[in-house]
Amino acid sequence: MIVVSKIDELKKLIYDWKSQGQTIGFCPTMGSLHAGHMDLVQSSKTQTDKTIVSIFVNPTQFNDPKDFEKYPVNTENDLLLCEKNGVDIVFLPDVKTMYPDTKTPIQLSIPKLQNHLCGRTRPGHFEGVLQIVAKLFHLTEPTKAFFGLKDYQQFRVISAMVENLNFPLDIVGVPTRRETDGLAMSSRNVRLSTKERETASLIPRMFALAKKTIQAGERDIKLWKEILRDFLLTGSSLRIDYLEVVDPIELQPKEKLEGEILLAIAVFVGEVRLIDNQVIEIPN
Ligand code: AMP
């Protein structure tokens, strides 16, 4: 495994691979890697010849500077995990390398997809994501790039950028890796106290309830959301940022419980913001 932090070095390695006709899989991350990230790596390894992981805590996607400062960093462990999982290159740039020009910044956005859900509470977040991902795509020239469906809105925003701007690559969505109680794995989970971790397990239990009530015939969207909100809030200290039912492609609010829906939530457990979602097929 090669660890590079300089763009020239990265481009030289990629040039060599490309001239040998190798396909490249790319998994962008912010580090503090866990089994969910490694699912992206494994998908990449089965679908492409070479796999690149980038580790970069991107400052432009943090609307809250405190969240940025507290973002866990664990580079030594990340590199071990990447090595163990057969990653070919880890790209580990610093902020100056990624943002040499801070005087004339560019802004990318897909308003229809990003002005609600996480975009509402985190203004500027998706602009930051699109900016860094577009740059990383140009630097790594991947055949395929792998994104977790846990960050479903991010997956859709990036897929739409690739489509709109004709980036020559495919986006692959990878299912969410979960802990044994169903909580989605997240780098932020390490910031939860034991008590908060218990509270967080309400999230997967809420999704189980959501499916159960649909199976039992619930079709009133307003009532359904109320049942789920009540379940999360009764006797718990959890705060709901949003709990929304949208269509899985354009992420617009659904009026009725029919067809395929995306149930997406963001909650605060203590100071930690957690997100999760499920695509649910509503039976006729
Ligand atoms: P992050 O380091 O949080 O920016 O995540 C990097 C990539 O890993 C993103 O595409 C995430 O959606 C994906 N990812 C994070 N957590 C999980 C998980 N539990 N299961 C699958 N993919 C994940």
Side-chain angles (χ1 to χ4, degrees), residues 35-275:
H37 296 110
M38 291 307 116
D39 284 351
L40 307 187
V41 168
Q42 289 315 320
S43 301
S44 172
K45 285 186 68 69
T46 52
Q47 296 182 38
T48 62
D49 300 323
K50 297 286 182 189
T51 293
I52 304 177
V53 168
S54 64
I55 300 176
F56 180 64
V57 184
N58 174 36
T60 68
Q61 73 188 67
F62 286 83
N63 55 305
D64 175 2
K66 265 196 270 158
D67 191 26
F68 176 61
E69 278 157 32
K70 287 190 182 154
Y71 200 84
V73 175
N74 205 345
T75 311
E76 211 175 301
N77 193 57
D78 291 349
L79 295 179
L80 282 174
L81 209 55
C82 286
E83 175 113 63
K84 218 170 94 189
N85 279 271
V87 171
D88 295 288
I89 292 180
V90 175
F91 180 47
L92 196 67
D94 61 15
V95 175
K96 265 203 188 126
T97 303
M98 291 314 294
Y99 295 113
D101 177 6
T102 51
K103 292 197 181 111
T104 53
I106 191 167
Q107 194 180 79
L108 291 166
S109 71
I110 303 173
K112 186 170 185 183
L113 291 178
Q114 71 191 53
N115 286 349
H116 51 316
L117 303 175
C118 288
R120 184 169 297 144
T121 342
R122 304 188 69 189
H125 168 68
F126 287 112
E127 283 83 351
V129 169
L130 287 175
Q131 181 185 22
I132 194 66
V133 171
K135 284 166 75 77
L136 288 168
F137 282 172
H138 286 305
L139 296 178
T140 56
E141 297 179 49
T143 319
K144 294 187 179 193
F146 298 82
F147 288 86
L149 294 174
K150 178 177 91 74
D151 300 280
Y152 192 94
Q153 191 174 13
Q154 170 174 280
F155 166 73
R156 282 297 306 134
V157 166
I158 287 164
S159 301
M161 173 180 76
V162 163
E163 216 174 292
N164 271 296
L165 297 180
N166 300 88
F167 276 73
L169 62 108
D170 292 329
I171 299 295
V172 181
V174 178
T176 303
R177 170 70 79 114
R178 298 177 180 279
E179 305 283 358
T180 43
D181 67 347
L183 180 68
M185 283 191 184
S186 162
S187 309
R188 289 189 165 89
N189 291 355
V190 295
R191 289 176 53 203
L192 297 168
S193 67
T194 314
K195 182 120 195 293
E196 288 168 345
R197 176 62 185 78
E198 250 172 59
T199 306
S201 74
L202 283 169
I203 303 167
R205 284 161 53 205
M206 184 221 66
F207 281 110
L209 177 65
K211 286 181 185 158
K212 205 169 127 196
T213 43
I214 290 294
Q215 290 306 331
E218 183 58 67
R219 292 294 182 272
D220 183 323
I221 206 160
K222 206 162 154 245
L223 211 64
W224 191 52
K225 281 164 75 174
E226 267 166 34
I227 294 168
L228 303 179
R229 277 178 173 274
D230 282 352
F231 177 80
L232 287 172
L233 296 177
T234 308
S236 92
S237 56
L238 172 153
R239 283 181 298 132
I240 297 176
D241 177 4
Y242 65 75
L243 187 156
E244 297 293 344
V245 182
V246 298
D247 80 85
I249 305 298
E250 293 179 17
L251 308 184
Q252 300 306 299
K254 288 280 274 190
E255 304 281 316
K256 285 186 178 162
L257 283 174
E258 60 185 15
E260 243 187 10
I261 60 123
L262 178 81
L263 174 61
I265 72 161
V267 300
F268 285 97
V269 182
E271 278 191 359
V272 184
R273 187 171 180 278
L274 299 173
I275 59 171

